[in-house]
Amino acid sequence: ELEGLMARIRAEMQARMDAAQQLLAASLGSFAADPLAMRALARRGLLDEALVMMLVGHAAEVGKKVRQLEATSPATDPAPAKLESLLQRLAQDAMRELDLPVAPEFVVLRRLLQMRAPAARTALAARATAGDKLVTDRPVDLPKLIDVVREFRRIEVECAEPDEEAASKLAIVERELIALARTGGGGSAP
């Protein structure tokens, strides 16, 4: 029964990824011209995590090729770099639209998990708890954020097939947030 459910989930996710790829292929030009394209997609019910994942993946792929081109020939065509920038902007716009109805702690956690540098994660968390509107539209409660991280890590560890990398990153983020709380960056450590 569980295998059947997992197969249906995988099939649904693949269908969403295919739909996102088709939408992206058909509409990239119009997305570039419209700064509110992601908001329009959200209102039409066409914006989902699959499209965000597609945008992020394509941006990373294009970025990798841009860096390869820059390494081999400094005077390269600027079009690939512009495409990378566009895809990154669209991904950020899409994430922002998806985050509107979500609790600010989840918004910040998603951003923290995408960041590689510990100092940048700590700075983002400190800004979020200070109520920086550029981070999230509502102030983040640091003890609540720590609880959210702990819950996600618990779920990941107890999963039938845990993702060791995700659990490790969640543990690192949790330690950084606790250290921030201890230094007075948004509340006391729970």
Side-chain angles (χ1 to χ4, degrees), residues 6 10-11 20-21 26 34 41 47 55 58 64 74 86 93 123 127-128 133 153 157 160-161 173 175 186:
M6 291 302 292
R10 280 191 295 273
Q21 180 63 35
D34 182 3
L41 287 178
L47 183 61
L55 288 165
H58 285 319
K64 184 178 175 183
L86 170 65
D93 290 350
R127 288 175 52 206
K133 297 287 186 194
R153 194 174 74 149
V157 168
E161 295 179 24
V173 168
R175 285 193 302 271

Side-chain angles (χ1 to χ4, degrees):
E1 187 176 313
L2 184 58
E3 287 183 25
L5 175 62
M6 291 302 292
R8 288 192 302 275
I9 290 171
R10 280 191 295 273
E12 175 65 23
M13 196 59 201
Q14 185 60 51
R16 288 182 181 195
M17 293 297 284
D18 291 345
Q21 180 63 35
Q22 290 173 352
L23 178 64
L24 188 57
S27 306
L28 186 59
S30 66
F31 291 167
D34 182 3
L36 299 176
M38 294 300 121
R39 180 162 294 159
L41 287 178
R43 287 187 178 150
R44 292 179 19 217
L46 298 174
L47 183 61
D48 62 4
E49 289 291 333
L51 181 60
V52 172
M53 289 175 18
M54 192 68 58
L55 288 165
V56 169
H58 285 319
E61 188 176 315
V62 170
K64 184 178 175 183
K65 290 181 181 175
V66 165
R67 265 142 301 298
Q68 288 172 345
L69 287 172
E70 289 173 346
T72 59
S73 173
T76 59
D77 179 10
K82 287 181 182 178
L83 177 60
E84 177 189 21
S85 177
L86 170 65
L87 290 169
Q88 288 172 341
R89 179 183 61 82
L90 291 173
Q92 289 172 352
D93 290 350
M95 283 187 258
R96 197 170 14 263
E97 287 300 319
L98 285 177
D99 287 341
L100 286 176
V102 177
E105 290 77 16
F106 292 99
V107 173
V108 171
L109 176 57
R110 179 190 351 208
R111 291 186 60 192
L112 291 172
L113 291 173
Q114 293 170 342
M115 301 172 91
R116 292 184 181 181
R121 285 192 298 264
T122 301
L124 179 80
R127 288 175 52 206
T129 58
D132 187 336
K133 297 287 186 194
L134 295 176
V135 177
T136 180
D137 61 338
R138 294 169 288 177
V140 170
D141 180 56
L142 187 55
K144 186 174 178 183
L145 178 58
I146 293 169
D147 288 343
V148 167
V149 172
R150 285 179 175 155
E151 182 63 16
F152 270 92
R153 194 174 74 149
R154 184 191 62 75
I155 291 168
E156 187 58 49
V157 168
E158 292 176 1
C159 192
E161 295 179 24
D163 181 337
E164 300 288 330
E165 185 177 337
S168 174
K169 182 98 180 221
L170 285 163
I172 290 167
V173 168
E174 180 183 348
R175 285 193 302 271
E176 292 168 354
L177 293 173
I178 290 170
L180 178 64
R182 286 189 179 132
T183 62
S188 58

